[in-house]
């Protein structure tokens, strides 16, 4: 089962390399944001908005603000290594990012619930009790970031250092240095070039 915290990395990754030396933003338009939200239906689970819920500019702005806070705290998580170069020059302070995530998450009241089916262990859950699907969506993204940053994946988070790459990724194995093999190839080629150029 996909965990909601995967939405945190997915949200951060909507700022990405455009394949042509620049940076693309999947949330730059309301259409792009609507498509991204549809793609997140799995990890968001019961927090995913109902099909057909309109995405407008104010909602896009709120999602982008959660992303800004998430990326600022991703930068803190990978420090002292450098953050993703995509927004390294315009990161908001960590205290501001924390305050924003906490404020957004606090908009959704949750209800603790105990389920205990016969022959199975009891399960405690926090059920959302917010009727507005727009609020549920934005708070779910903030809570995904909170869970990610407080969970075991934070220590495995890296900013890829390959030339032109701007991705954050979670290391899948101990020696992984780059987000994907093609980045590793590019980074090694650049290293080789530098070594031979400088003699
Ligand atoms: Zn990469």
């Amino acid at each position: 089962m996909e965990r909601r915290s995967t939405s945190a990395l997915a949200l951060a990754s909507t700022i990405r390399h455009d394949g042509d030396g620049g940076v693309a933003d999947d949330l730059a338009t309301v259409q792009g944001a609507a498509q991204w939200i549809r793609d997140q239906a799995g990890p968001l689970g019961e927090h995913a908005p109902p099909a057909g819920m309109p995405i407008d500019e104010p909602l896009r702005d709120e999602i982008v603000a959660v992303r800004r806070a998430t990326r600022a705290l991703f930068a803190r998580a990978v420090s002292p290594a450098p953050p993703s170069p995509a927004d390294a020059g315009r990161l908001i302070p960590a205290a501001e990012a924390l305050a924003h995530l906490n404020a957004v998450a606090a908009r959704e009241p949750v209800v603790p619930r105990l389920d205990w089916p016969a022959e199975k262990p009891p399960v405690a859950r926090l059920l959302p009790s917010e009727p507005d699907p727009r609020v549920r969506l934005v708070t779910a993204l903030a809570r995904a970031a909170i869970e990610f940053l407080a969970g075991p994946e934070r220590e495995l988070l890296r900013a890829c250092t390959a030339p032109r790459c701007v991705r954050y990724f979670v290391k899948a194995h101990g020696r992984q240095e780059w987000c994907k093999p093609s980045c590793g190839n590019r980074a090694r080629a650049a290293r080789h070039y530098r070594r031979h150029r400088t003699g």
Side-chain angles (χ1 to χ4, degrees):
M1 199 183 102
E2 286 185 280
R3 282 170 307 145
R4 182 170 51 190
S5 65
T6 62
S7 289
L9 186 61
L11 179 61
S13 305
T14 54
I15 289 180
R16 57 180 177 77
H17 179 231
D18 68 0
D20 198 27
V23 175
D25 180 356
D26 291 331
L27 305 182
T29 63
V30 289
Q31 291 81 3
Q35 178 61 50
W36 182 78
I37 289 162
R38 279 196 294 278
D39 294 343
Q40 288 302 301
L44 286 172
E46 64 211 4
H47 288 78
M53 184 186 87
I55 308 295
D56 53 19
E57 192 60 31
L59 184 55
R60 189 194 74 89
D61 282 348
E62 289 189 54
I63 295 168
V64 167
V66 171
R67 179 180 67 182
R68 189 178 305 125
T70 301
R71 289 186 62 96
L73 295 172
F74 274 20
R76 181 177 180 177
V78 302
S79 143
S84 161
D87 53 358
R90 53 186 163 91
L91 293 169
I92 61 171
E96 191 182 318
L98 284 169
H100 185 75
L101 286 186
N102 287 333
V104 173
R107 288 172 62 194
E108 178 183 54
V110 291
V111 177
R113 179 187 170 93
L114 181 66
D115 287 312
W116 196 346
E119 321 276 324
K120 285 189 176 165
V123 181
R125 290 193 295 161
L126 290 176
L127 297 183
S129 64
E130 167 58 52
D132 183 345
R134 296 164 59 95
V135 175
R136 273 212 307 275
L137 171 65
V138 179
T139 57
L141 294 174
R143 286 172 64 188
I146 289 171
E147 287 167 19
F148 182 99
L149 289 161
E153 289 166 312
R154 184 195 68 254
E155 291 190 7
L156 301 173
L157 187 69
R158 297 288 183 275
C160 184
T161 56
R164 299 189 302 283
C165 189
V166 298
R167 268 164 63 102
Y168 285 105
F169 66 100
V170 173
K171 275 201 322 173
H173 54 83
R175 298 190 56 204
Q176 185 178 354
E177 278 187 74
W178 297 287
C179 72
K180 54 182 192 281
S182 58
C183 275
N185 293 340
R186 223 166 49 248
R188 277 186 291 269
R191 224 178 248 176
H192 181 82
Y193 174 76
R194 272 198 306 275
R195 225 177 6 243
H196 287 259
R197 191 185 50 178
T198 56

